[in-house]
Amino acid sequence: MASTLPATVLEWSRGLASLSPGVVPCRGLRPDEWRETHERCTAFVDRWGVQAHEAGWDALRLFEVGPQTGTIRGDFCGILMPLAIDVHEVTAEWIRLGKWTACRHEPMKMPGMVPVWEVGKGR
């Protein structure tokens, strides 16, 4: 019997699937960096998506970018934008990436940010 994925995890999966690994979706990413980020983010959703959802993570904290600035302002990006290292643990408080930890309860960094798959929509 297959389990049903939460709507949030489906949104993340569909959002990433709507992007091509060969087409950089926003400013600030090199083509090779985007290919790796796309692959790792897709793997994150497959491996950690349900756990991240259950722990209270959302699309912006994970996949946020600036609609015009993309990832140029890294301090305004979601934890997984860009992603070039392995995720080792997901809890309600943090995500452990490589040798460092990103905390969830830091305040949102900038109003108006969007998930990477929303960049360019509505233009």
Side-chain angles (χ1 to χ4, degrees):
M1 174 187 230
S3 63
T4 302
L5 288 175
T8 303
V9 179
L10 284 172
E11 174 197 350
W12 301 344
S13 181
R14 289 177 180 151
L16 290 166
S18 73
L19 299 172
S20 169
V23 178
V24 177
C26 63
R27 295 175 64 197
L29 292 168
R30 297 180 319 273
D32 59 323
E33 186 178 38
W34 169 242
R35 275 190 300 279
E36 182 174 11
T37 293
H38 187 271
E39 180 181 326
R40 287 180 177 273
C41 285
T42 300
F44 171 87
V45 172
D46 291 345
R47 166 65 178 91
W48 299 101
V50 171
Q51 186 173 340
H53 162 75
E54 290 173 352
W57 292 88
D58 61 36
L60 290 180
R61 293 206 186 268
L62 297 172
F63 307 106
E64 164 183 79
V65 297
Q68 285 79 39
T69 59
T71 63
I72 291 172
R73 286 290 310 261
D75 55 333
F76 292 162
C77 293
I79 291 167
L80 304 180
M81 290 288 114
L83 184 59
I85 55 179
D86 292 333
V87 173
H88 297 289
E89 184 178 9
V90 175
T91 74
E93 301 298 321
W94 68 77
I95 293 179
R96 191 169 320 277
L97 302 121
K99 295 183 179 190
W100 60 277
T101 302
C103 293
R104 175 173 161 240
H105 295 292
E106 294 174 359
M108 293 306 287
K109 299 169 192 152
M110 180 63 102
M113 298 305 201
V114 297
V116 66
W117 53 85
E118 292 291 328
V119 173
K121 290 190 177 173
R123 284 187 191 169

